[in-house]
Amino acid sequence: MTLSDELRIALDGKWRRVREQSRVELSQMDLAFDHDLSLAEARERTFRQLKELVPTGMSASGFGKEHGGGGDPGMAVTGIEMLAQFDLSLMVKAGVQWGLFGGAVENLGTKHHHDTYIRDLINLDLVGCFAMTETGHGSDVQNLETTATFDPATEEFVINSPTPSSRKDYIGNAGMHASMAAVFAQLITRGETYGVHCFLVPIRDEHGEDLPGVTTSDCGHKGGLGGVDNGRIVFDEVRIPRQNLLNRYGQVDEGGAYSSPIDDTGRRFFTMLGTLIRGRVSVGGSASATAEVALTMAGRYALQRRQFGPTPDKEILLADYRVHQRRLLPLIARSYAYRFAQNQLVARMHRLQIDDDPDPMQQRELESRAAGLKVVQTWHASRAIQEARELCGGAGYMADNRLVTLRGDVDVFTTFEGDNHVLLQLVAKELLTSYASEIGGLDPVGLVRFAAATVTDVVKERTAAAQLIQRLIDARPGSSDEHDLLDRGTQLSMFEDREEHVIETAARRLRRAANADDEEAFAIFNAAQDHVIRCAKVHIDRVVLEAFTAGIGRCEDEEAQELLRDVCTLYALSTIEDDLAWFMGHNRLSDQRAKIVTAEVNTMLEKLRPHLLTLVEGFGVPEKAWAAEMLES
């Protein structure tokens, strides 16, 4: 095998077989977006392609075997990531049907719902949508306005959109194809509100017409994802049977009495959302997959396009310019880092989702890590695709060369499954509460009332390769060694020290809000919000570096291991370089050592330049996904 083959094996991770199968099967399908199609034609084409996925087993993979599925959540996420390399419209369409809608039915429903719906939705005999977001409420799901009021006289729930801002908005599949919606609404019975629950609400008949009381409309053209029929839904006193409440975490009996295995409304709400974690994991991984496609194209272009030089007959490859290397190679290193972190995340998710009694602490840690990785991966994808477009010049702007399509399609991923800045606050909240207190709301007042006594323990918490990481840190050379920046233990220690300091200082700023009234507590939180966000960012940087280090340890080929070490060093040093102001301002790096960081980054660029083609081939992006007129096959 070639060196690039060994890199691909290392990056493919536990579900390597799924990736290899997908590369073959998806390459045989005609998945390239056709810009000559109308909006309606593009959507119908994507829907036809969705049907073609059913025989591959992808649609069933994530559902329990007892429900007619494959019982392999990790396979389901990996399959979605592979779809993203070919067509994000199809990836989103599949994610809505089998991940969000299907996930709600399986994870929030009980045996009646499983037996009635899951086989049909796997086979697309039932097409659904996930109606959570409202015009007035996106990330703030706890305060959704749609109501589901129980009527004991008929044993029905009445679904209603009481205000213009309660309209369900931007809902995938709602524009054309869905006949049923998983609707998130405030459950009201006997005059009491019990928080947000999920209900199955039929919205169209067999002819595609709106059912009585349901009004759907089309979102029309978007910035991308032309094959996805996003729509809006308004409910006017729509009645559904009591059994259409997905009742795993909350039940209403014939007389209207409410019961739940979780008494606290906030804790119940976050437990319900936690079961739907697969969607957030998929969004982050799919964003990284698109970045790998774009960087593969930009890397290959840099190795064939020549420009300028000492004489007209000696033009220089783009890849040999230092500025070009500076723009491209650190992004490639970051993509490698995120793939290893994503693989680790998917493996954890898989273990917890096949466990009949998952550990609540591990579940919360998974949710926090999924939120943080989704943030950095989606921002990285937007940046990497834009940089790749610019690195390919005018050719990159041609729609046939795909980069502008990728850029438009991936842009919304930064707000899919939660706005990135809101998610960073969720990550910070878990850090600042040291995973100790009961889950509360995401309101600022609740966030600042925490106990920070075990912050250091949280920073040092390692859930993978703990012995390896600690051994590297313990073996780092003394701080007087000016070249220790190349030592992995030193890099890990710097990331850990920065995280510990940032969290501790944030905790001190917020601690004085513990005894404040609500208004003052909000003011204290608001003033420290930038600090809270930084907590989450530096935490995820550390998590990613540790995942990369662990991934290198699992690579079996020595030559590939050595190259991965260099890529990891570039990731670590470029991340430090991006935050030099903090390291210098907090006396972690002297002026001289700060200059060494930049010098060492340049050294790593020179060292990795001969491996550029190997590195992009290591991503394993099938030729069908990167082939373009501007590139030589």
Side-chain angles (χ1 to χ4, degrees), residues 568-588:
C568 187
T569 295
L570 178 58
Y571 165 72
L573 292 180
S574 60
T575 300
I576 293 170
E577 186 179 43
D578 288 344
D579 205 14
L580 274 181
W582 187 91
F583 285 102
M584 296 175 70
H586 291 81
N587 299 315
R588 266 58 174 189

Side-chain angles (χ1 to χ4, degrees), residues 178-193:
S179 60
M180 178 175 283
V183 178
F184 288 79
Q186 301 286 351
L187 190 156
I188 303 170
T189 183
R190 293 182 174 180
E192 295 288 332
T193 300

Side-chain angles (χ1 to χ4, degrees), residues 50-361:
L50 193 69
K51 294 176 180 178
E52 293 176 29
L53 295 178
V54 174
T56 70
M58 179 182 295
S59 63
S61 59
F63 295 96
K65 292 181 179 179
E66 67 275 20
H67 307 148
D72 194 338
M75 175 182 176
V77 172
T78 303
I80 288 288
E81 290 178 19
M82 294 305 296
L83 275 182
Q85 292 190 343
F86 289 85
D87 182 9
L88 279 176
S89 283
L90 184 56
M91 170 260 150
V92 170
K93 193 85 170 171
V96 167
Q97 173 68 14
W98 298 311
L100 294 177
F101 177 66
V105 174
E106 181 167 61
N107 294 302
L108 300 181
T110 50
K111 188 176 187 303
H112 162 73
H113 308 105
H114 302 155
D115 294 344
T116 305
Y117 300 110
I118 287 183
R119 284 175 174 79
D120 285 346
L121 67 86
I122 287 174
N123 296 323
L124 293 178
D125 293 325
L126 170 64
V127 180
C129 61
F130 188 79
M132 178 181 281
T133 300
E134 296 177 357
T135 304
H137 291 86
S139 297
D140 187 10
V141 179
Q142 274 186 296
N143 288 311
L144 293 176
E145 297 177 80
T146 302
T147 57
T149 305
F150 186 67
D151 180 358
T154 60
E155 290 191 38
E156 294 174 315
F157 283 100
V158 181
I159 311 297
N160 193 47
S161 305
T163 65
S165 59
S166 65
R167 177 186 67 185
K168 296 297 181 181
D169 217 342
Y170 322 123
I171 310 301
N173 275 0
M176 292 177 63
H177 296 129
S179 60
M180 178 175 283
V183 178
F184 288 79
Q186 301 286 351
L187 190 156
I188 303 170
T189 183
R190 293 182 174 180
E192 295 288 332
T193 300
Y194 290 91
V196 173
H197 290 64
C198 188
F199 303 81
L200 296 180
V201 184
I203 60 173
R204 290 190 176 92
D205 63 21
E206 64 273 18
H207 305 295
E209 300 297 324
D210 289 350
L211 290 170
V214 177
T215 302
T216 64
S217 56
D218 201 306
C219 288
H221 289 278
K222 308 181 293 291
L225 300 175
V228 182
D229 53 318
N230 292 85
R232 304 180 174 101
I233 314 173
V234 175
F235 302 100
D236 182 13
E237 306 290 328
V238 176
R239 289 180 171 268
I240 60 171
R242 181 175 64 91
Q243 290 77 12
N244 281 31
L245 164 65
L246 295 177
N247 61 340
R248 179 179 177 185
Y249 294 104
Q251 174 67 294
V252 174
D253 68 16
E254 295 89 339
Y258 178 84
S259 60
S260 171
I262 304 174
D263 292 332
D264 182 76
T265 301
R267 186 161 165 257
R268 181 170 60 244
F269 168 75
F270 278 99
T271 300
M272 286 192 291
L273 289 193
T275 67
L276 305 176
I277 190 66
R278 195 184 306 171
R280 190 167 288 163
V281 174
S282 296
V283 166
S286 295
S288 280
T290 63
E292 292 166 8
V293 174
L295 294 172
T296 295
M297 298 175 76
R300 289 178 174 277
Y301 190 77
L303 291 168
Q304 68 181 49
R305 179 79 158 90
R306 295 178 180 272
Q307 192 157 265
F308 303 112
T311 62
D313 61 334
K314 292 184 178 180
E315 290 189 306
I316 297 173
L317 282 171
L318 295 181
D320 290 326
Y321 284 101
R322 178 54 50 81
V323 170
H324 210 86
Q325 295 167 6
R326 271 264 173 189
R327 296 167 65 189
L328 179 60
L329 283 169
L331 292 175
I332 290 175
R334 191 165 292 269
S335 274
Y336 268 73
Y338 289 159
R339 176 75 84 84
F340 281 117
Q342 175 72 7
N343 287 349
Q344 190 182 86
L345 178 70
V346 173
R348 292 184 186 185
M349 180 211 74
H350 179 82
R351 287 196 301 270
L352 285 173
Q353 293 204 338
I354 63 174
D355 190 339
D356 292 333
D357 186 25
D359 179 81
M361 193 73 75

